[in-house]
Amino acid sequence: MTMVGESHARVILHLDMNSFFASVEQAHNPSLKGIAMAVAGNPKERRGILVTCSYEARALGIYTTMTIGEAKRLCPELVIVPPDFEKYRTASIAVFDLLRSYTDLVEPVSIDEAYIDITSIGGLTHAVEIATEMQQRILRELDLPCSIGIAPNKFLAKTASDMKKPMGITILRKREVESILWPLPVIEMHGVGKSTEKKMHTLGIYTIGDLAQKEEATIKATFGKYGLRLRNRANGIDPRPVDPEAADERKSVGSSTTLPIDETDLEGCLKVFKWLAAKVADRLDKRQLAGTVVMIQIRTADWRNQTRSRTVHNPLYEEQAIYKEAIDLFKRHWDGEPVRLLGITVSNVVPMNELNEQLSIYNFEKYAKEETVNDLLSQIERKFGPGAVKRGNG
């Protein structure tokens, strides 16, 4: 297969495991094959959330993020299995190792998906054969199904892999973007969430084609650089290379700076932290990551290095939240010595698209209760005024 219309033509695959957690459970326990089954955070709690479900369950109208109670009402015989992340990690490593037997240009982007650049191993002429062999080997050797998108860049490859599931292989060429992608609602585009969709609607952008053709200046004014990246992708343009080391970089995202003078003023240090938090937030946004560990680095004028870190419950990715944690650490641990260098690093990072899964598995019940309490507090404060109720520390 030859890709036309790309300078330095590349052929990139996006491999997406189908119903990964459910498929791994079925591979380990064949009695779960061919039936409606789901992996859920807490099978004993009817409010537990489905993290994934088999295609047999999906055919009955069951979907991820449903509560167990809702799913059981639709399908009383639905089999629920608790998650086993060690099992999933082991299967994920086996998949990526198999892909690396073809080429080193494999970039895992989450536990169940990866980009593979096959240009130099015959991809320009034999992409479908290579993809088919990978898919069949993963099925035969690991008993796991996957879908593969074939395209000249990452965005189109990821879009293509979604088009046919399970066990699909789909080619999406740049010249097909206008006919295949442009008519779709903009929410169906990777990288566009509900809040972005709402903002786009205010600009008269309802389809991917509307976004592709909107004036650059309008997009930049409303969405900044991220909006321009989305507009390029809507036009089938995505220059990002497949980077095998990106997975290592994803373990942490940070920024540091040497100060022009040895700083002794708290306000001066806080301004630097504000700038660093903005840089780290921007890098997290570009890579679509969030992390639960915030670390600050302080180098004093006499070249002593200190690091202080904190683990937070909710993954961080916004500038203000990162800044708040960083300056709190700094205020607690800085002894007033002149500062030569400051840094912020966010680590223990995960792709944004995995956050919902983790929330579903571990935190849903807690957040559901928190929401109820918050709603109740809001109602009381509306009636009796702000501060009418104080939260206890217990």
Side-chain angles (χ1 to χ4, degrees):
M1 178 189 72
T2 305
M3 294 292 183
V4 180
E6 289 275 316
S7 57
H8 310 299
R10 295 180 298 163
V11 183
I12 291 174
L13 308 183
H14 180 262
L15 183 139
D16 192 6
M17 304 305 296
N18 300 145
S19 290
F20 184 54
F21 298 168
S23 297
V24 173
E25 296 295 346
Q26 289 172 325
H28 278 260
N29 180 0
S31 71
L32 296 172
K33 289 186 177 185
I35 64 169
M37 60 82 64
V39 176
N42 187 350
K44 289 177 185 164
E45 283 268 351
R46 291 184 66 76
R47 287 188 304 120
I49 292 287
L50 304 193
V51 181
T52 190
C53 52
S54 66
Y55 281 90
E56 292 81 5
R58 292 177 193 205
L60 299 170
I62 292 164
Y63 55 86
T64 300
T65 72
M66 241 184 189
T67 66
I68 292 172
E70 289 168 335
K72 285 279 195 181
R73 278 195 292 278
L74 261 182
C75 175
E77 66 275 15
L78 181 71
V79 175
I80 305 287
V81 179
D84 181 344
F85 276 101
E86 206 43 55
K87 208 187 278 177
Y88 310 147
R89 269 191 281 271
T90 302
S92 175
I93 290 165
V95 170
F96 298 147
D97 282 349
L98 187 152
L99 296 176
R100 289 189 189 100
S101 71
Y102 290 85
T103 173
D104 289 335
L105 293 176
V106 175
E107 180 184 338
V109 282
S110 71
I111 195 168
D112 64 347
E113 59 176 321
Y115 292 107
I116 310 111
D117 188 328
I118 60 167
T119 313
S120 64
I121 58 167
L124 289 164
T125 48
H126 299 291
V128 176
E129 294 95 318
I130 294 167
T132 303
E133 186 183 314
M134 286 177 176
Q135 186 187 62
Q136 291 302 318
R137 277 191 62 196
I138 291 169
L139 186 65
R140 187 173 66 247
E141 296 174 28
L142 304 175
D143 199 13
L144 296 171
C146 67
S147 292
I148 299 177
I150 305 172
N153 61 49
K154 281 180 165 181
F155 171 72
L156 293 179
K158 185 169 175 65
T159 303
S161 69
D162 268 350
M163 289 180 167
K164 189 179 173 193
K165 289 183 174 181
M167 290 295 286
I169 291 179
T170 307
I171 301 170
L172 184 57
R173 297 173 175 84
K174 193 172 172 185
R175 64 173 177 266
E176 296 170 323
V177 166
E178 195 170 331
S179 59
I180 293 174
L181 294 193
W182 281 16
L184 299 175
V186 74
I187 191 68
E188 294 199 21
M189 181 175 168
H190 289 292
V192 175
K194 284 283 182 194
S195 61
T196 304
E197 179 197 34
K198 270 187 194 169
K199 274 192 195 171
M200 285 189 175
H201 284 179
T202 64
L203 297 178
I205 297 169
Y206 293 93
T207 66
I208 294 175
D210 293 338
L211 172 58
Q213 297 170 90
K214 199 73 179 174
E215 311 79 37
E216 275 193 28
T218 306
I219 296 294
K220 188 170 185 184
T222 311
F223 300 102
K225 288 181 192 169
Y226 183 61
L228 292 179
R229 284 202 297 275
L230 287 176
R231 184 182 181 277
N232 276 339
R233 289 174 196 175
N235 281 292
I237 300 163
D238 180 7
R240 292 174 299 162
V242 171
D243 181 1
E245 292 174 14
D248 292 329
E249 288 171 23
R250 286 194 186 99
K251 288 172 188 168
S252 67
V253 174
S255 186
S256 63
T257 186
T258 302
L259 309 187
I261 57 165
D262 294 341
E263 186 62 79
T264 55
D265 177 52
L266 176 64
E267 286 306 311
C269 291
L270 297 188
K271 279 181 187 167
V272 175
F273 274 119
K274 185 80 178 157
W275 179 77
L276 289 169
K279 284 197 78 168
V280 172
D282 185 53
R283 287 176 182 174
L284 287 166
D285 176 56
K286 280 179 180 156
R287 298 181 196 168
Q288 286 293 285
L289 300 170
T292 53
V293 177
V294 179
M295 183 184 81
I296 62 164
Q297 180 186 5
I298 305 165
R299 182 182 295 155
T300 56
D302 59 1
W303 291 85
R304 279 189 309 109
N305 280 312
Q306 305 173 46
T307 57
R308 294 289 182 270
S309 64
R310 169 181 296 162
T311 301
V312 296
H313 189 69
N314 296 328
L316 300 172
Y317 54 91
E318 291 176 324
E319 175 188 336
Q320 194 54 39
I322 295 165
Y323 173 68
K324 178 177 169 292
E325 296 296 340
I327 63 165
D328 187 52
L329 279 169
F330 183 69
K331 286 175 181 175
R332 282 170 187 263
H333 297 288
W334 183 48
D335 56 11
E337 281 194 62
V339 173
R340 170 70 53 86
L341 173 145
L342 291 171
I344 302 177
T345 299
V346 174
S347 59
N348 198 23
V349 295
V350 292
M352 294 285 238
N353 59 7
E354 284 184 26
L355 284 186
N356 293 335
E357 285 176 4
Q358 294 192 5
L359 178 64
S360 303
I361 293 170
Y362 298 115
N363 305 330
F364 176 75
E365 286 82 2
K366 176 186 179 299
Y367 283 112
K369 286 173 192 159
E370 278 285 311
E371 284 302 310
T372 309
V373 171
N374 288 338
D375 289 346
L376 184 61
L377 287 176
S378 298
Q379 287 171 31
I380 292 170
E381 291 201 332
R382 275 198 299 273
K383 192 168 183 181
F384 298 106
V389 180
K390 294 276 192 293
R391 279 182 180 268
N393 292 323

